[in-house]
Amino acid sequence: MTKTHAVAVLAFEGMAPFELGVVVEVFGLSRPELEDLPWYELRVCAEQPGRDLRAVGGFTLRVEHGLDALDTADTVIVPGVAKAGAEVSPALVEALLQAHTRGARLVSVCSGAFALAATGLLEGRRATTHWRYARTLAERHPEIEVDPDVLYVDNGDVLTSAGSAAGIDLCLYLVRADHGAAVANAVARRFVVPPHREGGQAQFIEAAVGEIGPEDDGVTRSMNWALRHLHTPVSVPALARAARMSERSYLRHFTRRNGVSPMRWVIAQRVAASLPLLESGEGTVDEVSAAVGFDSTATYRHHFTRQMRTTPTAYRKTFTRVPTHP
């Protein structure tokens, strides 16, 4: 029988509920749509369990588990700290270090990076946090390479994400690493968010691979058409025809709605569509590139690396579950 992956997430006095809610939504919600796939076992913990913790917004939360929940966790998530830059509790630092020594994966969201930084595990490594706190993190911990322009950073055993909604990106990334792109996409659909966002903290949200929604306007109709034809040449004139608009009008409406040009959006969808193909281990990178509509493998590799911050080959080695082609 497959061991259930245990996740522990920290709650604390003065917390913003959004980041904690993201972790609970991804790892604590029942997933009957995934049939017999063993899901995560989530425990919310606190340094002082059994007492009311006040959260931003005027409500309180009472937590059952203490830091001993970290003793058996496979993944430990710190969704923030009470005050960015303030001293982190020695008890929490020690619990995080013990969990890491035991082999647990440590994860931070937003200002939670300060707790991971206090352990010393980020020394000499790249990390991120909310852009508001990036300078403070860099000043307090000059030994860390703070990157304020990314959504998350994966160091293998220690992962950090940017602010608030970037926690969704990192949590979906963890699901993808544990269960593959198909499962991560299913979780994203229920979450009603894209399975992957391109770019950094200031970027807009790209549309998910899958139907965009009811075709009650021309732009939506063209996007759904594009998703059905990613394997074929897709051009602005073809998209405008699908939208039943002039090219000039289409470009204006599409960019205003999505914050990105039509062809950049198409490229993002092609890269996203290639992920499950890479994970399947079937076909060469050249064949995957052609299957999702890139006119050359070199172009595919360029856009994949720009969007995913790794190469197609490296991604395949990380996420494939069957023998791969050379």
Side-chain angles (χ1 to χ4, degrees), residues 140-296:
R140 296 296 178 93
H141 297 278
E143 73 279 6
I144 300 173
E145 181 188 346
V146 179
D147 188 343
D149 297 323
V150 296
L151 294 174
Y152 53 83
V153 175
D154 179 6
N155 287 300
D157 54 332
V158 182
L159 301 91
T160 55
S161 87
S164 301
I168 301 175
D169 297 280
L170 182 51
C171 286
L172 290 174
Y173 175 81
L174 294 174
V175 173
R176 188 183 305 120
D178 294 340
H179 298 290
V183 172
N185 288 351
V187 174
R189 281 194 296 272
R190 186 166 172 184
F191 221 134
V192 199
V193 296
H196 172 76
R197 291 196 293 167
E198 179 189 358
Q201 297 194 49
Q203 290 279 345
F204 41 82
I205 296 177
E206 302 283 4
V209 173
E211 290 294 304
I212 301 300
E215 297 188 353
D216 51 5
D217 67 83
V219 171
T220 298
R221 185 165 53 249
S222 73
M223 294 168 79
N224 283 332
W225 177 88
L227 293 175
R228 294 192 296 267
H229 295 83
L230 286 177
H231 61 289
T232 68
V234 175
S235 63
V236 171
L239 289 167
R241 285 195 298 271
R244 300 170 193 165
M245 295 180 181
S246 68
E247 290 182 35
R248 183 175 180 180
S249 178
Y250 177 73
L251 285 168
R252 184 175 67 254
H253 282 86
F254 188 101
T255 304
R256 181 184 302 160
R257 168 175 164 168
N258 297 290
V260 61
S261 70
M263 294 315 298
R264 183 170 176 180
W265 177 84
V266 169
I267 288 169
Q269 306 318 302
R270 283 177 166 155
V271 169
S274 75
L275 300 184
L277 300 180
L278 291 172
E279 291 182 19
S280 73
E282 295 297 326
T284 64
V285 172
D286 289 346
E287 290 168 338
V288 170
S289 169
V292 296
F294 284 99
D295 57 7
S296 74

